[in-house]
Amino acid sequence: AAFLAASAAYQTERLSRFTFLLGRKRAAEIQEQVDWLESMAGFLRHELKNAMIGIHSSVDLIDRKIDSGKKAIYPYIDRAQKSVNYMKLLLSEVDEATSLEAAIKNTNFEEIDLTTHVGEKCDLYREAFPVLNITSSVESGIKILGSTLRIEQVLDKLLSNAVEHCAEEQDIVVKLCSTDEDAILSISDRGDKLPYETDALFERGYSTKLNESADNKGLGLYIAKRATESMRGDIKVIRLENPPGAEFLLRFPKVSVQ
């Protein structure tokens, strides 16, 4: 009887400790979500404030120039329109990034044909950007467990990033191959030079700002990383030289052929 009582007390203590640790883990997850929302709110306030300044100053200048002839106000109207478009794109990307965090927790994985997705996305970008040379080498029959939406996000973010930073005379190179266990995807471009601290590229709100005309909010690569990790993959960036550029290398567990 004494042994059973001692055993019961021991099991009760273990259960209590487990419940305590589970509560701490949940609290940590909630705090992480709160921190994310607070940082995103601050980022959004800052960026929208800058965009609003551009609109306000443009409208103010239009008001001053309205009597000097219609042609004089065109540059200010154009600048105001660009600021409005910037805010629309910013809100869309922030919404996508915020929704991603919630969606990842509720995603049901299925077998998807990575070969087909990569091939079709390359064709789409060739049509959209005919002045760029996008070459691809895609191994057939590669399948992974994942989400169609998530893999589309990854491909869009990485190809958009390549288009943004690639020099016109250089190629964007896409390769998909596999080992016995993994699918390996590489997307590289030659153009803008990467910073030495490449890990920061995947942080929320980080931007190299090498291309001042680009609609770069520092969220694309963050979204690509989170979406990749949600499918049990990993992503890294390799700094290229002579000429400078970047290669994004991704690995996903491959579905074994039965």
Side-chain angles (χ1 to χ4, degrees), residues 78-215:
D78 183 61
R79 197 172 78 182
Q81 188 60 52
K82 286 180 179 178
S83 293
V84 171
N85 291 338
Y86 173 89
M87 286 200 299
K88 288 180 178 178
L89 184 60
L90 175 64
L91 288 170
S92 175
E93 289 202 4
V94 169
D95 180 63
E96 184 179 11
T98 306
S99 300
L100 177 65
E101 297 300 320
I104 281 175
K105 298 181 183 297
N106 300 306
T107 298
N108 294 319
F109 289 161
E110 60 184 358
E111 185 177 296
I112 60 175
D113 189 332
L114 188 57
T115 295
T116 299
H117 281 285
V118 173
E120 290 179 351
K121 190 63 68 174
C122 287
D123 290 341
L124 181 65
Y125 271 75
R126 288 189 190 99
E127 294 176 4
F129 302 96
V131 297
L132 295 176
N133 187 28
I134 301 175
T135 67
S136 59
S137 174
V138 180
E139 183 180 321
S140 64
I142 298 180
K143 297 182 179 182
I144 64 173
L145 284 179
S147 157
T148 296
L149 178 58
R150 297 285 90 80
I151 200 64
E152 287 290 318
Q153 283 180 311
V154 171
L155 293 172
D156 269 326
K157 299 308 178 187
L158 294 181
L159 282 170
S160 293
N161 182 78
V163 168
E164 179 182 324
H165 294 287
C166 187
E168 286 191 10
E169 69 277 7
Q170 297 293 334
D171 294 347
I172 294 173
V173 181
V174 180
K175 298 178 182 179
L176 177 65
C177 60
S178 68
T179 65
D180 289 341
E181 298 181 349
D182 296 328
I184 303 171
L185 173 65
S186 167
I187 298 178
S188 62
D189 68 88
R190 302 278 185 167
D192 291 334
K193 193 172 184 178
L194 280 185
Y196 286 100
E197 296 297 328
T198 56
D199 288 346
L201 294 173
F202 297 106
E203 294 178 0
R204 288 190 300 256
Y206 181 87
S207 173
T208 59
K209 296 190 180 297
L210 291 173
N211 187 346
E212 293 297 333
S213 65
D215 294 316

Side-chain angles (χ1 to χ4, degrees), residues 24-80:
R24 288 184 60 183
K25 181 180 179 181
R26 179 56 181 159
E29 290 176 349
I30 293 173
Q31 185 60 52
E32 182 181 354
Q33 293 175 8
V34 170
D35 292 341
W36 150 250
L37 290 173
E38 288 179 349
S39 65
M40 185 54 66
F43 168 72
L44 185 58
R45 284 194 300 269
H46 174 74
E47 293 297 326
L48 288 180
K49 181 180 179 181
N50 289 339
M52 287 300 295
I53 290 173
I55 294 174
H56 177 76
S57 62
S58 296
V59 172
D60 183 58
L61 287 168
I62 288 173
D63 184 61
R64 296 180 189 179
K65 297 285 186 177
I66 195 71
D67 293 329
S68 62
K70 292 182 179 180
K71 192 173 182 179
I73 69 172
Y74 289 162
Y76 308 120
I77 293 176
D78 183 61
R79 197 172 78 182

